[in-house]
Amino acid sequence: MDAITGAWDWLGSAANWAGENGVWHRLGQHVQLSVVCLIISCLLALPVALYLGHIGKGGALAVNLANVGRAVPTFAVLVLLTLSPLGRAGDWPTIVALVLFAVPPLLTNAYVGMREADRDVVEAARGMGMSGPQLLLRVELPLAYPLIMTGLRSASVQVVATVTLAALAGGGGLGRIITAGFGNYDTPQVVAGAVLVAGLALLVEAVLVAVERLCDPMRGKRPARTVRRGIRAARKDAAAV
Amino acid sequence: MSTPMSTVASMYVSAAPSPRNCLQANDWICGEYVRSRGQELVDATVQHVWITVLSVAIGLLVAFPLALLARQRRGAAGPVLGLTTILYTVPSLAMFALLTPVFGVSAAVVVTGLVLYSLTILVRNILAGLQAVPTEVREAARGMGYGPLRLLFQVELPLALPALMAGLRIATVSTVAMTTIGAVVGFGGLGNLIDSGMQGFFKAEVLTASVLCVLLALIADLLLVGLQRALTPWTRADRTRRARDGAGGIRRTGRERKAVA
């Protein structure tokens, strides 16, 4: 209980929000790094995934990439990059690590989404004389949209978590509040930092869910999505592994 | 305590033949490091393994009743899946930080955090496996006089095993990777070595621990594949028969396909 009231007090003190080590500065760093890396990752992963999904090749690559991404510890990659020559280049170790870990979920989900697009519909569209690009943009992409967005959401959650970890390797972001708290045995600060990080991650997730609903190219025309979505995802896991 | 001159001399002599010592040069790959710090590496690996095994085992024990609950009550599925997804969204460093005031700086922080993470994948997969059991099979077992418990453990659970094992593999591999972050409270297994290597700018320590960590994940995955094959001999028989009959010879109906997935 002490920790909760302590954390509350910590968050309530204006001094903790201002300055170089303050919450606002750290939050700014966190969001900026996350957004930049997400954009880079999307630019790298989505065109490749959409193209591979469209021509129906490279399935093994897409699935294995996700499995490898899971097995490699983020912390290890961050530290390895920090100790490499890249480590002297400011934020670059963090950016590279972030992109490395954001690409697999984006690529795999977009690829699977493209491949899972109802074959009958795709064949029908081809029969109607649609060209390759038309097929990709007007049939496969709208059908793959939910999974592409799932990939974007898991990539974002991954990125927010990885930026937090970057603090362990000397990077900026909200994780610094937690690591500084651990360094000073300041439990209230540790908890306050953790609350901020968790809040940011949940907020990002919620915003992306809302964006997904609002931007759906087939809004209202898709069969009802309920809890079953999670189950479908699990089934996909089972099929993918 | 004074070191005899002869020892110092012999150290010099033994070091002299190799033109450069990889420890002094701070190389990424260093056999000398593995030789001289072998015990440290073994200890860290052992800690890594027990933290992972304990977390996944507890995760499985918690996930199974949760999945049953989610299946039994329609109203429970949403909250259970929603809550585990929310837990999964919390970054690991924040999770460990939030658990520290509860458990103090101890291994319990790491294990609890890892259990909470594994729940998302395990609950989903167990639930998917149980729901994929064909209704006919369930009806047949009931008709043969199976009670609810026997039905669950002798019919439904074996049929749900492939989905469960797929979830277990994902959960285990991610847990092996995430254990490293336990280094913030000093219980990170190989993560402790990565952490101390980072503090001391010791490249060989960081690379060796990282490689061991990935190897550990691979070995765990292979062991689980072996376990799955041993536990579900019927899926293999089915596959070989299908291969003999000519793949794709018989198109599976939708329901069959779902059951297999």
Side-chain angles (χ1 to χ4, degrees):
Chain A
M1 280 302 113
D2 280 357
I4 295 172
T5 50
W8 184 251
D9 290 342
W10 192 94
L11 288 172
S13 143
N16 291 325
W17 289 75
E20 178 81 352
N21 293 321
V23 173
W24 289 124
H25 180 68
R26 294 295 181 206
L27 182 66
Q29 283 179 321
H30 208 117
V31 171
Q32 193 190 347
L33 261 179
S34 305
V35 170
V36 169
C37 291
L38 262 181
I39 292 173
I40 299 178
S41 311
C42 285
L43 290 178
L44 284 175
L46 291 184
V48 175
L50 295 184
Y51 179 69
L52 287 178
H54 178 64
I55 61 170
K57 284 191 178 131
L61 171 86
V63 171
N64 286 328
L65 203 61
N67 289 339
V68 170
R70 238 191 313 268
V72 178
T74 328
F75 181 39
V77 172
L78 276 168
V79 174
L80 286 172
L81 287 170
T82 312
L83 294 190
S84 74
L86 200 67
R88 268 162 287 179
D91 277 339
W92 280 103
T94 315
I95 294 174
V96 172
L98 286 167
V99 172
L100 281 178
F101 281 97
V103 163
L106 281 169
L107 197 96
T108 307
N109 279 295
Y111 177 83
V112 173
M114 292 291 285
R115 293 313 298 158
E116 298 249 311
D118 194 333
R119 284 297 108 190
D120 295 342
V121 176
V122 175
E123 289 307 317
R126 192 170 283 141
M128 284 166 68
M130 278 196 176
S131 66
Q134 274 179 325
L135 201 64
L136 173 72
L137 291 176
R138 292 170 57 182
V139 180
E140 289 173 322
L141 198 58
L143 287 173
Y145 174 82
L147 264 181
I148 294 176
M149 288 306 287
T150 304
L152 185 64
R153 266 192 297 138
S154 40
S156 313
V157 168
Q158 175 90 53
V159 161
V160 170
T162 311
V163 177
T164 317
L165 279 183
L168 287 176
L174 285 174
R176 275 298 266 280
I177 296 174
I178 301 178
T179 52
F182 269 119
N184 302 329
Y185 301 98
D186 183 351
T187 310
Q189 184 178 337
V190 168
V191 175
V195 168
L196 288 169
V197 170
L200 179 66
L202 292 173
L203 184 71
V204 167
E205 169 95 7
V207 166
L208 284 173
V209 169
V211 168
E212 179 182 348
R213 298 245 166 93
L214 287 175
C215 299
D216 192 338
M218 290 172 65
R219 189 144 46 117
K221 290 176 236 157
R222 234 179 262 286
R225 289 187 269 150
T226 49
V227 203
R228 301 240 152 223
R229 257 184 81 198
I231 311 236
R232 266 215 327 267
R235 252 188 226 135
K236 218 153 278 147
D237 287 344
V241 178
Chain B
M1 204 177 102
S2 66
T3 319
M5 275 311 278
S6 60
T7 325
V8 176
S10 71
M11 273 163 70
Y12 257 94
V13 172
S14 66
S18 72
R20 59 197 266 289
N21 183 328
C22 65
L23 279 177
Q24 280 163 6
N26 198 12
D27 287 340
W28 284 106
I29 300 167
C30 183
E32 186 56 34
Y33 165 72
V34 180
R35 265 192 298 282
S36 60
R37 311 277 184 96
Q39 193 53 44
E40 217 175 277
L41 284 166
V42 171
D43 290 346
T45 310
V46 167
Q47 189 187 62
H48 206 111
V49 170
W50 76 251
I51 289 179
T52 306
V53 170
L54 190 63
S55 307
V56 175
I58 298 176
L60 206 53
L61 285 179
V62 178
F64 191 60
L66 280 179
L68 285 183
L69 180 75
R71 186 182 65 147
Q72 233 79 46
R73 310 232 164 126
R74 223 146 244 303
V80 166
L81 290 178
L83 188 70
T84 51
T85 309
I86 288 178
L87 286 174
Y88 197 72
T89 309
V90 176
S92 45
L93 186 61
M95 180 74 93
F96 292 155
L98 282 173
L99 290 168
T100 308
V102 184
F103 296 104
V105 174
S106 66
V109 169
V110 183
V111 173
T112 312
L114 294 174
V115 166
L116 293 178
Y117 280 121
S118 68
L119 285 184
T120 321
I121 294 157
L122 290 175
V123 170
R124 269 189 199 175
N125 277 272
I126 298 174
L127 190 58
L130 288 175
Q131 288 184 334
V133 174
T135 323
E136 298 90 329
V137 173
R138 216 174 275 143
E139 294 297 323
R142 221 172 267 142
M144 285 167 70
Y146 276 61
L149 264 189
R150 251 182 94 202
L151 177 68
L152 176 64
F153 283 104
Q154 293 187 359
V155 178
E156 292 176 313
L157 194 57
L159 285 174
L161 260 183
L164 186 151
M165 290 302 291
L168 193 61
R169 282 174 62 193
I170 297 176
T172 307
V173 169
S174 353
T175 304
V176 169
M178 222 181 279
T179 301
T180 52
I181 298 155
V184 284
V185 287
F187 289 91
L190 292 161
N192 291 341
L193 296 184
I194 298 177
D195 192 42
S196 77
M198 179 185 69
Q199 314 278 354
F201 216 84
F202 191 174
K203 291 178 178 172
E205 188 175 16
V206 173
L207 186 65
T208 312
S210 306
V211 170
L212 276 177
C213 197
V214 174
L215 280 179
L216 218 54
L218 278 178
I219 293 170
D221 199 40
L222 286 178
L223 284 178
L224 286 174
V225 173
L227 182 67
Q228 179 176 1
R229 284 173 64 93
L231 285 178
T232 57
W234 62 88
T235 54
R236 226 173 338 158
D238 184 39
R239 199 171 300 154
T240 44
R241 194 172 57 236
R242 245 191 299 152
R244 208 181 45 222
D245 293 349
I250 311 155
R251 233 192 123 144
R252 285 172 178 275
T253 63
R255 182 176 288 146
E256 268 176 333
R257 226 180 298 157
K258 221 187 276 172
V260 173

